[in-house]
Amino acid sequence: MAMTATVTFRTTPELKSRMDFLAKETHRPTSFYYNLLLEDYLEDLEDIYLSEKILEDIKSGKEKPIPAEEVFAKAGL
């Protein structure tokens, strides 16, 4: 059996109702769809929000940008 963890979060009654309806109509647990959403969109959210954080750090001087030429050179391109 795969390892699992329990997560609790708040959402709107409308979203919960929609998820419950989908689960009922398709005979799947709501956890199936919550996990599917996380698998499909978590990487995108990480890219967006972590990139914004790095940009803020660069603007505030906490982090220095790396020139593209240096990145390409280190990658052997």
Side-chain angles (χ1 to χ4, degrees):
M1 184 168 140
M3 300 240 342
T4 62
T6 300
V7 177
T8 302
F9 65 94
R10 296 186 188 281
T11 189
T12 65
E14 179 188 357
L15 290 174
K16 181 172 183 336
S17 178
R18 290 173 61 191
M19 184 65 79
D20 290 344
F21 177 78
L22 177 62
K24 180 181 174 192
E25 291 297 310
T26 59
H27 306 287
R28 291 186 180 266
T30 55
S31 61
F32 171 84
Y33 293 108
Y34 286 120
N35 279 299
L36 189 62
L37 287 167
L38 285 169
E39 289 170 4
D40 285 351
Y41 296 105
L42 184 57
E43 188 173 346
D44 292 341
L45 291 172
E46 289 170 333
D47 288 346
I48 292 166
Y49 289 103
L50 294 176
S51 295
E52 287 177 355
K53 170 73 169 88
I54 291 170
L55 184 57
E56 287 174 18
D57 289 347
I58 289 171
K59 287 180 178 180
S60 70
K62 292 179 185 175
E63 189 164 328
K64 289 176 35 179
I66 302 171
E69 297 80 20
E70 188 178 325
V71 173
F72 294 145
K74 285 183 179 180
L77 301 173

